[in-house]
Amino acid sequence: MKCFSFLLIIIFTDGVVSKKVCNYMDVLDYLNLTKDNNAFKLTRPVLDYTHPTIVELDILLYAILAVIEKTQTFIPFIWATLKWNHERISWDPAQFCGISQVAIPRDMLWKPDLFIYEMIEKDDSPLNPYILLASDGSVYSEEDMRVVSTCKMDVHKFPFDTQKCNITIGSAIHCVNEMRIFPCSNSSRATQFSREVMKTQGEWEFLQLSVSSTNITFSGRKWEHLIYTFTMKRRPLLHVINFLLPILFFLFLDIASFFIADHRGEKLGFKVTVLLAISVLLLILNDILPSMSNKTPLIATYCIVIFALMLLSLLETILVTYLIDKDSVCQEKFRLKEDKKEEVKTPNCKMEVKRPTCCSCTFKVSAGGKQHELLPVAEEVNSISQSGDSHLLLSILAELKEMQHTVNVRLNCRTEGGKFVLWAARINRAFFIFYISTVSLFLLLIFVEWHI
Ligand SMILES: *[C@@H]1O[C@H](CO)[C@@H](O)[C@H](O)[C@H]1NC(C)=O
Ligand SMILES: *[C@@H]1O[C@H](CO)[C@@H](O)[C@H](O)[C@H]1NC(C)=O
């Protein structure tokens, strides 16, 4: 009796304390969903094979990891959500203490075979190991993916460019009457969500994510594809500071070098240095831009035209320096002539000791030569040079003659060389005006083109 009542108590307390306890295994047991049960993963999960499986897809952009113009590669980090219906699965949550969804390992169920057409490298980031199973048979799968995709980029306006890259998602083998793909959120929602979750933006400013659907027909079968288009705009500041401005500065330096004096070759050296600096910058450009492009990038035009202008100004400087040099060669000749005369004079003078006599000697030498008719007065003075102070007069006369000769030679040289200097100055002025106008016109045009 005692024993019986004890049993009753146990039954009684059990009834009060134990509510019904459920766990996820109950659900899986009910569904017969085990690792070994292939019925859930072998075939497309429909009860009637003519039913297409409807896959709802949602893609958000987490980050733009890289956009590489040189190799035309676009690497976004995306977050993809998939939802489809497994028609063999359903349970009543009320029977299982309200359990409405179960997370199960990814490989226990059939999954749609979606893949990204532009992907050129297998994604090695770890997959989320679970998928979510809801009581009505919906299956949710989430994936974070680093997508290395090709993207045809137009670098015409680099670095003020906007790029559009596509990610096309479709089934590999199921055509449109077996699998339909729909975007879960439309373009504006996807753009807004992406803006909210965007982690890093770096060089690129994300503008828009739009989605569209197309059908691809291939050998009589039709596949449905979703195309996600990412639009982003480059932040040009780095390239402007690194590249455009330095080249512009060098151009200004080149213009400023017009105010350096032409002779002695300093200007030439300066211009060559500036030109070399630009060619170093051009090497950087080679690293950034793809070697082939259907439309010449504006930045290449910018560099080449500035380079050509500076080359032209260097050539002009060479020409002007050449002209001026020609002039100084004449002066050099004149100086040599002078030196020779000195040499001729000195042996005669050496014998005399007194300076006035030396001068008179000089005079005699000259007077005997072709200078004779230039100063006919000399003869007269010579004839009356017996008196003592006439010596002084004679020496003055001699000096004058010498000066006249010098001036004559120098004037000859001037009129000949002066022509070159004059031409050099003219060329300089004309080229400066041409240079300034060309540079300003070109800069204006190219910046307008860049801005449009
Ligand atoms: C589960 O599988 C067992 C055999 O493995 C079978 O007897 C049972 O009927 C199945 N239950 C359901 C609900 O399919
Ligand atoms: C693709 O084909 C399906 C089925 O034929 C059709 O319903 C859908 O409108 C088509 N989509 C486009 C973008 O043509």
Side-chain angles (χ1 to χ4, degrees):
M1 187 65 205
K2 204 178 179 184
C3 179
F4 181 69
S5 68
F6 181 65
L7 202 69
L8 263 181
I9 286 166
I10 285 182
I11 290 168
F12 181 71
T13 41
D14 205 20
V16 168
V17 172
S18 74
K19 253 175 57 193
K20 191 178 176 192
V21 175
C22 314
N23 61 40
Y24 297 122
M25 276 318 284
D26 299 337
V27 179
L28 296 191
D29 286 343
Y30 167 78
L31 294 171
N32 251 1
L33 188 57
T34 58
K35 277 252 178 198
D36 310 322
N37 194 344
N38 285 332
F40 292 96
K41 58 185 172 188
L42 276 185
T43 55
R44 198 160 60 83
V46 282
L47 298 177
D48 174 0
Y49 87 99
T50 56
H51 274 188
T53 300
I54 290 172
V55 178
E56 281 177 47
L57 178 69
D58 206 9
I59 281 190
L60 296 185
L61 181 67
Y62 256 148
I64 297 169
L65 296 183
V67 177
I68 308 162
E69 297 83 8
K70 185 87 180 163
T71 53
Q72 306 261 303
T73 312
F74 170 54
I75 310 177
F77 192 72
I78 61 171
W79 181 62
T81 324
L82 289 173
K83 174 183 173 275
W84 67 93
N85 210 43
H86 203 294
E87 294 183 5
R88 290 165 162 276
I89 293 175
S90 71
W91 73 88
D92 180 10
Q95 281 183 29
F96 299 95
C97 325
I99 292 178
S100 63
Q101 53 189 28
V102 183
I104 56 169
R106 183 168 270 280
D107 55 357
M108 284 176 70
L109 289 183
W110 177 90
K111 285 182 302 299
D113 55 339
L114 297 185
F115 81 105
I116 297 173
Y117 283 74
E118 287 86 359
M119 204 148 156
I120 48 170
E121 219 176 79
K122 245 189 144 67
D123 179 34
D124 46 9
S125 54
L127 275 177
N128 187 349
Y130 293 104
I131 51 181
L132 209 59
L133 194 58
S135 60
D136 61 347
S138 310
V139 187
Y140 298 89
S141 162
E142 271 180 26
E143 278 173 52
D144 290 330
M145 279 193 290
R146 179 178 164 275
V147 182
V148 181
S149 66
T150 64
C151 171
K152 197 161 178 287
M153 293 176 205
D154 181 11
V155 289
H156 179 61
K157 286 191 173 178
F158 176 90
F160 301 98
D161 51 344
T162 301
Q163 300 293 351
K164 278 187 178 181
C165 288
N166 285 348
I167 281 186
T168 309
I169 298 174
S171 166
I173 57 161
H174 295 291
C175 47
V176 73
N177 47 9
E178 293 171 343
M179 191 192 287
R180 303 289 312 267
I181 313 168
F182 293 105
C184 194
S185 41
N186 62 13
S187 300
S188 60
R189 242 173 70 114
T191 305
Q192 194 199 333
F193 282 173
S194 296
R195 288 230 174 92
E196 280 167 15
V197 299
M198 199 87 175
K199 295 277 193 295
T200 59
Q201 294 211 6
E203 189 192 347
W204 293 88
E205 182 188 347
F206 168 72
L207 292 183
Q208 208 196 355
L209 173 58
S210 62
V211 53
S212 64
S213 171
T214 71
N215 286 336
I216 303 274
T217 311
F218 182 71
S219 66
R221 288 169 27 115
K222 206 155 69 166
W223 280 268
E224 191 166 35
H225 288 172
L226 278 193
I227 302 177
Y228 280 85
T229 306
F230 300 83
T231 312
M232 62 231 150
K233 192 174 188 302
R234 189 195 305 271
R235 295 178 211 268
L237 188 67
L238 189 73
H239 293 286
V240 169
I241 291 174
N242 249 352
F243 199 83
L244 295 186
L245 279 185
I247 288 190
L248 206 61
F249 291 159
F250 283 127
L251 182 67
F252 288 151
L253 271 185
D254 195 60
I255 291 175
S257 74
F258 275 96
F259 301 105
I260 299 178
D262 272 309
H263 54 80
R264 285 180 308 190
E266 280 164 12
K267 191 173 174 180
L268 208 60
F270 186 82
K271 289 202 172 196
V272 169
T273 314
V274 171
L275 208 62
L276 281 180
I278 289 240
S279 41
V280 170
L281 281 176
L282 287 183
L283 285 183
I284 302 177
L285 189 67
N286 193 34
D287 280 347
I288 304 172
L289 291 186
S291 49
M292 48 161 197
S293 180
N294 42 2
K295 228 170 156 191
T296 322
L298 279 177
I299 197 163
T301 315
Y302 174 83
C303 292
I304 287 303
V305 171
I306 287 184
F307 195 81
L309 279 174
M310 288 167 74
L311 190 76
L312 214 61
S313 96
L314 179 65
L315 289 178
E316 188 263 352
T317 307
I318 290 177
L319 179 66
V320 165
T321 315
Y322 168 73
L323 289 179
I324 290 174
D325 270 355
K326 221 173 154 108
D327 193 30
S328 56
V329 162
C330 179
Q331 304 238 347
E332 201 67 34
K333 261 190 215 152
F334 160 72
R335 214 168 294 134
L336 278 178
K337 246 187 231 166
E338 285 237 290
D339 290 350
K340 254 184 224 157
K341 251 193 4 231
E342 293 280 341
E343 276 164 30
V344 173
K345 272 184 280 176
T346 27
N348 279 350
C349 292
K350 255 181 194 159
M351 298 149 200
E352 263 93 352
V353 188
K354 279 161 115 185
R355 174 146 176 86
T357 341
C358 174
C359 281
S360 98
C361 153
T362 315
F363 157 71
K364 267 173 201 150
V365 168
S366 321
K370 66 174 171 118
Q371 296 294 315
H372 192 250
E373 57 277 20
L374 273 175
L375 280 176
V377 211
E379 211 69 64
E380 293 165 37
V381 178
N382 206 14
S383 61
I384 52 159
S385 64
Q386 264 61 19
S387 58
D389 46 335
S390 67
H391 259 297
L392 186 63
L393 210 60
L394 274 174
S395 67
I396 290 172
L397 188 64
E399 292 285 335
L400 271 175
K401 277 181 67 182
E402 194 60 36
M403 267 169 71
Q404 192 190 22
H405 176 74
T406 312
V407 165
N408 271 349
V409 175
R410 194 161 277 174
L411 269 181
N412 269 354
C413 214
R414 268 284 152 73
T415 45
E416 206 181 312
K419 213 167 63 195
F420 292 128
V421 171
L422 204 67
W423 267 108
R426 267 186 211 154
I427 290 172
N428 246 350
R429 199 173 313 129
F431 187 79
F432 185 65
I433 292 168
F434 161 77
Y435 198 60
I436 290 280
S437 45
T438 312
V439 162
S440 21
L441 193 69
F442 169 69
L443 288 182
L444 187 76
L445 280 181
I446 202 144
F447 281 116
V448 164
E449 181 83 0
W450 247 322
H451 204 70
I452 292 168

